[in-house]
Amino acid sequence: MEVTAVASNPLAAGVDTLIVSLFERGNTPSGVTGTLDRKLGGVIGELMAAGDVSGRAEEVSVLYPRGAVAATRVLIVGLGPANTFGSEAVRRASAVAGRRARELGARKVASVAHGAGVSGLSLGEAAQATVEGTRLGLYRFGEDAGIESFTLMEEDPGKLDALRDGVRWGDAVAEGASLARDLVNRPANVATPEHLAEIAQGLARDHGFRVSIGDRAWAESEGMGAFLAVARAAGHEPRFITLEHDPSGGKEAPLVIVGKGITFDSGGLSIKGRQGLESMKQDMAGAAAVLGVMRVIGRLRSPRRVVALVPATENVIDAFGYRPSDVLTAADGTTIEVISTDAEGRLILADALVYAKRFKPRAVVDLATLTGAVDVALGNAAAGLFCNDDALADALASSATRTFERAWRLPLWPEYVRVLESDVADLKNSSGKPSGGACVAAGFLERFTSYPWAHLDIAGVRAVDSTEGYKVKGSTGFGVRLLADWVTRS
Ligand code: BES
Ligand code: MN
Ligand code: ZN
């Protein structure tokens, strides 16, 4: 789907489908929708009076103007009440309108930037949200959007720059999130560590990033005993991916983003049950999001220096695999007693967090489907946010609010690490009890950090069971929009 911005009157657009919008409880249609109403002889006002069109959030009404405006059909999408309105309502409305247009066989679609100027939403923000919602809502795994062109229109040529900017950002961010969705939705025999490495190499070629791919021997030379233990039983060879965008030529201290890349989590010898095991192909959602963020940064030519680290391996079983009771040595010399081979994410992240230090980072943020416990605590509504630096936590929280990829701060108290005291090593990888699971896992990770650091536990938000708004059944691509916003504002 080609997405563009043009300065022209949407009502004159020679497209098959035009999308406009309406607020709830406004007594008359305004803006383009108002002009449309007059051209249609007041039919929208009549439908509103009759209650057939209400402006309720995500309501879609289809009208056939029969020559009164250039488009063959017009979709009016509801934005909900103006007083609770914001960019999230725009993304959701755009997604449902886009999908309805596709169902109706639309090929060439034009739209207004929904809600521009209302409740402090600038035209650029409205345009970005409209494009994001449309592209994300039309996402289908293994298929294109099904619509040829999507054109945002605004008659005033003086506003074209803002419109273009919003379209550019929205399109880049949605592309990054779609890359993450694709990677997570791919089966584990396709989305292998080597596959993730190839994707990273493709990003490097496309955007001029520095890339290096470490194999087992490389990880050994780095002393990554925790990462290698998880990888020991792996049939698909592990990869440690480093991808760097460095417009400053090494002058600027980088932002480092780390993604858990377990391409399949069987639990290892601490084997999981058979229920829902297929969803463990999604255990590389953190890695996928990190690669998605790099796509956005590359497309937008971000001025910030960003390093992405992805430790990638499957966690499976064979005779040579690691076992509960094994003692491992991480890259910084910390010894770890294995209690559960299913607490593997924190092991591979430990070595990645140690590795991050050599970049002298300004901040490090990791994304990981780390615990079932965070899903119990927060469900689908938010990621767990753990942070050792209040300024970093605040910055991430405001990006989370702005993008509606919500993150809720949880504590990093010493009590959570105390339960990891070991008789035979510096610490255990699990307390062996479910109590405070998400916080204990985060406390384990903190032991390997020595810089401003945040951890986002995305186990609960990585995917949805059914399509709703701009989230399409399967992977959400969570974290791409949040971190792209954070990098941009850092
Ligand atoms: N990948 C899982 C966490 C997970 C669970 C993600 C459900 C998505 C959905 C992680 O590796 C894991 O197995 N965590 C264990 C930790 C425990 C053994 C301390 C868990 O959450 O049960
Ligand atoms: Mn596990
Ligand atoms: Zn896992």
Side-chain angles (χ1 to χ4, degrees):
M1 182 171 75
E2 203 200 336
V3 183
T4 46
V6 299
S8 69
N9 179 0
L11 298 177
V15 293
D16 55 67
T17 306
L18 170 66
I19 303 174
V20 299
S21 46
L22 193 66
F23 283 101
E24 195 174 358
R25 291 200 285 270
N27 26 18
T28 48
S30 61
V32 174
T33 314
T35 313
L36 173 68
D37 185 39
R38 284 189 290 283
K39 292 202 175 221
L40 293 174
V43 71
I44 299 174
E46 268 172 43
L47 290 167
M48 285 168 74
D52 291 23
V53 173
S54 71
R56 197 166 23 80
E58 292 159 53
E59 169 195 75
V60 182
S61 311
V62 186
L63 265 52
Y64 295 88
R66 304 179 71 209
V69 301
T72 313
R73 66 174 81 81
V74 177
L75 270 51
I76 307 175
V77 62
L79 297 173
N83 58 344
T84 58
F85 173 75
S87 62
E88 180 66 1
V90 176
R91 281 186 286 270
R92 296 180 62 110
S94 304
V96 296
R99 276 199 301 272
R100 176 67 79 81
R102 181 170 67 196
E103 280 163 20
L104 293 169
R107 301 294 299 161
K108 292 188 165 60
V109 179
S111 175
V112 300
H114 302 298
V118 177
S119 291
L121 197 72
S122 70
L123 177 62
E125 289 168 322
Q128 180 179 345
T130 303
V131 172
E132 267 180 35
T134 304
R135 275 206 59 170
L136 291 174
L138 288 170
Y139 171 86
R140 296 186 288 197
F141 176 53
E143 268 179 282
D144 66 15
I147 286 178
E148 246 168 65
S149 64
F150 183 77
T151 312
L152 269 199
M153 294 194 174
E154 157 62 53
E155 196 164 11
D156 182 352
K159 294 179 175 172
L160 186 59
D161 280 350
L163 195 73
R164 277 209 182 113
D165 228 43
V167 167
R168 176 166 169 263
W169 279 76
D171 200 44
V173 159
E175 187 188 329
S178 300
L179 169 62
R181 286 180 178 185
D182 277 344
L183 292 174
V184 174
N185 287 337
R186 279 178 196 151
N189 62 336
V190 175
T192 59
E194 180 56 23
H195 181 72
L196 297 182
E198 281 164 12
I199 296 292
Q201 282 162 328
L203 290 169
R205 274 194 300 276
D206 291 350
H207 304 295
F209 300 152
R210 202 173 295 144
V211 64
S212 70
I213 309 295
D215 59 8
R216 269 187 223 270
W218 176 89
E220 249 155 59
S221 71
E222 291 289 336
M224 295 182 166
F227 173 57
L228 283 166
V230 177
R232 206 161 296 145
H236 292 288
E237 286 296 297
R239 294 288 182 258
F240 191 103
I241 301 164
T242 305
L243 195 55
E244 181 172 358
H245 171 61
D246 185 13
S248 73
K251 283 198 196 70
E252 179 176 304
L255 305 170
V256 177
I257 54 180
V258 183
K260 172 178 171 182
I262 295 290
T263 56
F264 188 77
D265 184 9
S266 72
L269 284 176
S270 313
I271 194 164
K272 290 181 181 293
R274 57 186 96 175
Q275 269 296 318
L277 201 51
E278 69 284 355
S279 79
M280 283 301 128
K281 71 172 183 181
Q282 299 168 343
D283 212 18
M284 33 59 79
V290 157
L291 294 173
V293 173
M294 294 307 281
R295 168 68 88 202
V296 181
I297 285 168
R299 273 199 54 176
L300 295 177
R301 296 197 183 84
S302 164
R304 293 281 76 74
R305 182 177 171 205
V306 182
V307 176
L309 301 178
V310 174
T313 179
E314 51 180 0
N315 182 28
V316 292
I317 303 179
D318 84 354
F320 302 98
Y322 79 134
R323 32 184 120 54
S325 85
D326 283 3
V327 175
L328 319 174
T329 305
D332 67 346
T334 303
T335 56
I336 304 164
E337 179 188 5
V338 177
I339 299 300
S340 171
T341 61
D342 199 12
E344 83 298 337
R346 62 196 75 180
L347 295 174
I348 69 168
L349 289 172
D351 280 335
L353 291 171
V354 170
Y355 191 70
K357 189 179 179 189
R358 80 183 49 193
F359 295 95
K360 300 188 174 59
R362 181 142 70 95
V364 177
V365 179
D366 77 72
L367 277 108
T369 48
L370 205 61
T371 66
V374 84
D375 188 24
V376 173
L378 301 170
N380 241 313
L385 167 63
F386 299 86
C387 192
N388 65 7
D389 181 285
D390 287 342
L392 176 58
D394 291 347
L396 287 166
S398 67
S399 287
T401 304
R402 213 173 291 115
T403 57
F404 215 77
E405 289 195 319
R406 290 192 292 195
W408 197 255
R409 197 162 177 192
L410 295 169
L412 280 171
W413 288 322
E415 286 86 335
Y416 297 117
V417 196
R418 216 163 288 148
V419 298
L420 296 177
E421 276 170 20
S422 165
D423 294 334
V424 298
D426 295 323
L427 76 168
K428 303 190 284 196
N429 79 329
S430 162
S431 67
K433 298 189 185 83
S435 181
C439 305
V440 173
F444 178 94
L445 294 181
E446 191 184 11
R447 286 283 300 258
F448 299 90
T449 65
S450 48
Y451 34 68
W453 159 77
H455 158 60
L456 286 160
D457 193 335
I458 59 170
V461 292
R462 70 195 190 283
V464 288
D465 296 332
S466 58
T467 298
E468 214 221 300
Y470 55 85
K471 292 176 191 158
V472 174
K473 182 180 177 183
S475 168
T476 54
F478 186 101
V480 173
R481 295 187 301 111
L482 194 174
L483 287 193
D485 186 86
W486 171 69
V487 166
T488 302
R489 291 168 195 278
S490 288

Coordinates of all heavy atoms in Angstrom, one line a residue, residues 260 262 265 272 280 283 315 342 344-345 369-370, ligand 3:
K260 N 15.1 -10.0 23.9 CA 15.2 -11.5 24.1 C 14.8 -12.2 22.9 O 13.7 -12.0 22.3 CB 14.2 -11.9 25.3 CG 14.1 -13.4 25.5 CD 13.1 -13.7 26.6 CE 12.8 -15.2 26.7 NZ 11.9 -15.6 27.8
I262 N 14.5 -15.8 22.2 CA 14.3 -17.2 22.3 C 13.3 -17.6 21.2 O 12.1 -17.2 21.2 CB 13.8 -17.6 23.7 CG1 14.8 -17.3 24.8 CG2 13.4 -19.1 23.7 CD1 16.1 -18.2 24.7
D265 N 10.6 -21.6 23.1 CA 10.9 -21.9 24.5 C 10.1 -23.2 24.9 O 8.9 -23.1 25.2 CB 10.5 -20.7 25.3 CG 10.8 -21.0 26.8 OD1 11.5 -22.0 27.1 OD2 10.4 -20.1 27.7
K272 N 7.8 -27.4 29.7 CA 6.5 -26.8 29.9 C 5.5 -27.9 29.6 O 5.8 -28.9 29.0 CB 6.4 -25.6 28.8 CG 7.2 -24.4 29.2 CD 7.0 -23.3 28.1 CE 7.8 -22.1 28.4 NZ 7.5 -21.4 29.6
M280 N 4.9 -20.5 22.1 CA 6.3 -20.2 22.5 C 7.2 -19.9 21.4 O 8.3 -19.5 21.6 CB 6.8 -21.3 23.4 CG 6.3 -21.2 24.9 SD 6.7 -19.6 25.6 CE 5.0 -19.1 26.2
D283 N 8.4 -16.2 21.7 CA 9.3 -15.9 22.8 C 10.5 -15.0 22.3 O 11.4 -14.7 23.1 CB 9.8 -17.1 23.5 CG 10.1 -16.9 25.0 OD1 9.6 -15.9 25.5 OD2 10.8 -17.7 25.6
N315 N 15.3 -22.7 23.1 CA 15.5 -23.4 24.4 C 14.8 -24.7 24.3 O 13.6 -24.9 24.5 CB 14.9 -22.5 25.5 CG 15.1 -23.2 26.9 OD1 16.1 -23.9 27.1 ND2 14.2 -22.9 27.8
D342 N 13.7 -23.3 32.5 CA 12.6 -22.5 31.9 C 12.8 -21.1 32.2 O 12.1 -20.2 31.6 CB 11.3 -23.1 32.3 CG 10.2 -22.6 31.4 OD1 10.5 -22.1 30.3 OD2 9.0 -22.8 31.8
E344 N 15.1 -19.2 31.2 CA 16.2 -19.1 30.3 C 16.4 -17.6 29.8 O 17.6 -17.3 29.4 CB 16.1 -20.0 29.1 CG 15.2 -19.5 28.0 CD 13.7 -19.2 28.4 OE1 13.3 -19.8 29.4 OE2 13.1 -18.5 27.6
G345 N 15.3 -16.9 29.7 CA 15.4 -15.5 29.2 C 16.4 -14.7 29.9 O 17.2 -14.0 29.4
T369 N 9.9 -11.1 26.6 CA 8.8 -11.9 27.1 C 9.3 -12.8 28.2 O 9.5 -14.0 28.1 CB 8.2 -12.8 26.0 OG1 9.4 -13.5 25.4 CG2 7.5 -12.1 24.9
L370 N 9.5 -12.2 29.4 CA 10.3 -12.8 30.4 C 9.5 -13.7 31.4 O 10.0 -14.7 31.8 CB 11.1 -11.7 31.2 CG 12.3 -12.2 31.9 CD1 13.3 -12.8 30.8 CD2 13.0 -11.2 32.7
Ligands
ZN3 ZN 11.2 -17.8 27.6

